[in-house]
Amino acid sequence: MPPAVAVIERAKPDDANQVEAPVTVKAYLMCAFAAFGGILFGYDIGYINGITGMQYFIQEFGNGNVTAGKKSLIVSILSLGTFLGALVAGDLADWFGRRTTVIAGCLVFALGAALQDASSAYGLLIAGRFVAGLGVGFISAIIILYMSEIAPRKVRGAIVGCYQFCITIGIMLASLVTYGTQHLNTSASYRVPIAIQFVWALILGLGLAFLPETPRYFIKQGKIDEAAKSLARLRGQPQDSAFIVVELAEIVANHEYEMQIVPQTGYLSTWLSCFKGGLRNSSSPLRRTILGTSLQMFQQFTGVNFIFYYSTTFFALLNLGVDPFLLSLVTTLVNVFSTPISFWTVEHFGRRPLLIYGALGMAISQFIVAIAGTAAGTNKSVIKVEISFVVIFIFFFASTWGPGAWIVIGEIFSLPIRSRGVALSTASNWLWNFVIAIVTPYMVGENEANLREKVFFIWGSMCFACMVYAYLLVPETKGLTLEQVDRMLEESSPRTSSKWRPGMNDFYSVRKQSENTAANATGHELEDMSANKNTV
């Protein structure tokens, strides 16, 4: 690796856009493949929604009647496992690497799928879903981290948005499979959808084995040469390219600066670092952690997983005379074809507008469903209006909050706390996913609260809260490197963040101590310096 002083000399301080190399097709495909992990998450949502409505499944696991308690546990236990898996994944990602942790998650997920497929009793099914949840926790927490750290900034939003797109594809594939097997009068009706999960785990695990580890992980470990090799491969440039030298220098300098602000002296301190600083400081680790965890909480509060977990049974309650599996498939298709819209809008309009106006659109759609259903819920024409606005709600979610929340949590954390910050945010998603999956059957069950369409008053109110939350607290991170996001959070508020622009290689001018250290060190000295840092 060239000396760090050469890194600074070869940079173009009058052009902040020179930090990264042009995006090649190969680099784009390498980054986008990691999003395949979303299929595991999405397929589970779709298949459990389908099989819990199958007569053979109900007969075998519920003696003809799957109670609200049993259904809530079958659906929600995976989320509990995923919550725990996501918390553990943050440590594993720092110890063994982002890529290795995801591959391990694929193995754990496959074990859980095997237990589910072998089950003929309620207890083993629950155990299998919990184990599978641990694997999904590894994958869902770290795949976002992995994609955010390897993606070029110009297309980072679109690439991370691909994760949500793959979730929707997973839901669609599960809906297609369960729609095709629902009439089988054998255990194959639900065992086939379960068994197909092995395919997704195999593809993701084997594929990642051929992709590089993230350069930021190597920087965190003090392995500068490995970071340079990884970055060169990801950007499709020679290792001594000016693009590689400049981008690597920014990552190193920013990491040194952050380590001075948030020193880490042991295992416990690395977790406590996520909660340091004040609430009034928009760049403090505490503020970032609260932003990430609350953002994922609000994504679940939109009520979208009410549709994807329980739409089959909910549509059956409406007595439309139409196959509820078919209606569930329709909402899934809308979800799939709406998500790619965000690939363009998130990079042209930004993260904040998507979250603000998306929440408004969801709130209006859900209030219309609730009002129409409460006023004339038995009228067939009104029910069709309700279903139409459920579909419109799915459109708004899929094109805004679905990908938007994942994109933002991958961008807002500084390198010293990034793995744990993303893990905590993902764990928050699964914690509230678990809560919603537990309580929903009691909210809409015929023998329980039986809210029917009135439940959309709750979801609509929460979507309105999402809009206010996004306006007040979510910063704009469009078009910035992860290191520039750190700088932006220090110098602006969420409501002024969209006007912030990177200066002339800010990290050189404002982080004087890091610059001086880098400018006076050879490449090997810089490597030794980083290696001696007390990082996990």
Side-chain angles (χ1 to χ4, degrees):
M1 176 182 172
V5 64
V7 171
I8 297 174
E9 289 175 352
R10 295 176 65 179
K12 295 182 179 181
D14 60 335
D15 187 358
N17 291 321
Q18 289 297 315
V19 171
E20 285 190 328
V23 184
T24 65
V25 173
K26 179 182 177 181
Y28 187 91
L29 292 176
M30 289 174 66
C31 297
F33 174 80
F36 189 86
I39 287 185
L40 280 78
F41 175 11
Y43 187 87
D44 180 87
I45 293 174
Y47 104 80
I48 203 65
N49 174 37
I51 69 171
T52 52
M54 292 179 179
Q55 290 303 311
Y56 196 91
F57 179 87
I58 294 172
Q59 184 62 43
E60 185 159 334
F61 288 93
N63 295 321
N65 179 32
V66 177
T67 64
K70 277 191 172 183
K71 180 174 288 187
S72 68
L73 186 57
I74 290 172
V75 173
S76 64
I77 193 65
L78 181 130
S79 299
L80 179 60
T82 307
F83 168 74
L84 298 174
L87 290 178
V88 173
D91 287 332
L92 298 180
D94 274 352
W95 293 338
F96 304 110
R98 282 69 160 131
R99 185 187 61 169
T100 303
T101 302
V102 176
I103 294 174
C106 292
L107 295 175
V108 175
F109 177 80
L111 174 61
L115 293 175
Q116 292 176 72
D117 212 30
S119 65
S120 56
Y122 180 70
L124 186 58
L125 177 68
I126 295 299
R129 283 187 57 74
F130 178 79
V131 173
L134 292 173
V136 175
F138 286 13
I139 296 166
S140 61
I142 305 307
I143 207 72
I144 292 294
L145 176 64
Y146 183 81
M147 287 190 294
S148 297
E149 289 193 344
I150 68 173
R153 66 187 171 102
K154 297 183 182 70
V155 293
R156 188 177 62 241
I159 286 176
V160 178
C162 284
Y163 176 72
Q164 177 66 23
F165 183 52
C166 286
I167 292 176
T168 67
I169 291 176
I171 296 173
M172 180 188 70
L173 292 173
S175 296
L176 289 171
V177 172
T178 55
Y179 183 70
T181 64
Q182 61 171 310
H183 296 301
L184 297 177
N185 196 28
T186 67
S187 63
S189 60
Y190 66 86
R191 293 190 194 278
V192 169
I194 293 174
I196 289 176
Q197 294 178 102
F198 289 103
V199 177
W200 315 135
L202 183 66
I203 293 174
L204 180 63
L206 289 178
L208 279 176
F210 294 96
L211 294 183
E213 182 55 81
T214 76
R216 288 174 173 87
Y217 166 73
F218 286 128
I219 291 296
K220 188 175 176 66
Q221 296 297 314
K223 300 177 180 178
I224 307 298
D225 288 340
E226 293 298 322
K229 292 176 185 177
S230 172
L231 192 60
R233 186 177 171 193
L234 287 166
R235 299 294 180 256
Q237 297 285 328
Q239 191 173 331
D240 60 353
S241 163
F243 288 113
I244 302 303
V245 170
V246 172
E247 185 174 359
L248 193 63
E250 183 182 32
I251 298 172
V252 170
N254 194 77
H255 179 55
E256 292 298 317
Y257 174 72
E258 292 293 342
M259 289 299 294
Q260 294 165 21
I261 296 177
V262 189
Q264 298 176 39
T265 57
Y267 174 76
L268 183 60
S269 73
T270 60
W271 276 105
L272 293 178
S273 295
C274 296
F275 304 98
K276 291 183 177 180
L279 285 174
R280 293 181 180 275
N281 180 1
S282 60
S283 67
S284 72
L286 174 62
R287 180 72 174 264
R288 300 187 200 206
T289 299
I290 292 176
L291 175 61
T293 53
S294 59
L295 190 65
Q296 289 295 304
M297 176 188 73
F298 274 109
Q299 190 201 57
Q300 290 302 303
F301 282 178
T302 62
V304 67
N305 280 334
F306 165 71
I307 300 297
F308 293 129
Y309 279 140
Y310 298 108
S311 62
T312 301
T313 51
F314 178 73
F315 287 143
L317 289 174
L318 298 181
N319 297 317
L320 278 174
V322 180
D323 187 350
F325 283 87
L326 181 59
L327 290 175
S328 181
L329 179 59
V330 169
T331 61
T332 299
L333 290 172
V334 172
N335 191 32
V336 171
F337 290 109
S338 301
T339 302
I341 295 173
S342 68
F343 298 172
W344 183 80
T345 55
V346 76
E347 297 297 357
H348 285 75
F349 299 109
R351 284 63 160 156
R352 272 176 61 84
L354 253 66
L355 296 179
I356 293 170
Y357 294 109
L360 178 62
M362 288 189 291
I364 293 172
S365 301
Q366 291 182 325
F367 281 132
I368 290 175
V369 173
I371 293 169
T374 303
T378 59
N379 185 295
K380 296 295 183 182
S381 298
V382 173
I383 291 176
K384 291 178 182 178
V385 171
E386 293 177 56
I387 293 175
S388 297
F389 277 94
V390 167
V391 170
I392 293 172
F393 156 67
I394 295 297
F395 164 78
F396 276 110
F397 176 84
S399 58
T400 59
W401 271 80
W406 293 109
I407 292 169
V408 173
I409 69 165
E411 296 175 332
I412 59 173
F413 293 103
S414 59
L415 184 56
I417 66 168
R418 185 170 296 144
S419 63
R420 287 170 174 80
V422 174
L424 285 169
S425 301
T426 306
S428 172
N429 178 289
W430 287 107
L431 174 64
W432 294 106
N433 188 308
F434 171 73
V435 171
I436 290 172
I438 280 284
V439 303
T440 297
Y442 296 98
M443 294 167 66
V444 299
E446 287 186 286
N447 299 322
E448 307 296 337
N450 196 25
L451 291 178
R452 292 173 61 91
E453 296 92 337
K454 294 184 183 68
V455 74
F456 284 96
F457 279 120
I458 297 174
W459 307 135
S461 299
M462 295 311 303
C463 285
F464 183 79
C466 288
M467 180 186 70
V468 177
Y469 166 85
Y471 175 76
L472 294 177
L473 296 176
V474 177
E476 182 55 71
T477 55
K478 176 176 73 75
L480 304 177
T481 66
L482 296 181
E483 287 66 40
Q484 288 168 348
V485 170
D486 288 342
R487 183 74 178 140
M488 177 271 294
L489 291 175
E490 292 177 0
E491 296 183 346
S492 67
S493 67
R495 281 175 285 177
T496 61
S497 57
S498 61
K499 298 178 182 179
W500 187 89
R501 294 293 181 270
M504 301 190 311
N505 286 337
D506 294 293
F507 65 102
Y508 293 121
S509 59
V510 301
R511 295 164 188 185
K512 200 66 179 176
Q513 184 173 354
S514 294
E515 177 192 39
N516 291 339
T517 303
N520 294 322
T522 66
H524 292 295
E525 288 169 343
L526 183 58
E527 182 172 353
D528 292 338
M529 175 189 66
S530 299
N532 290 329
K533 283 288 179 181
N534 291 319
T535 58
V536 175

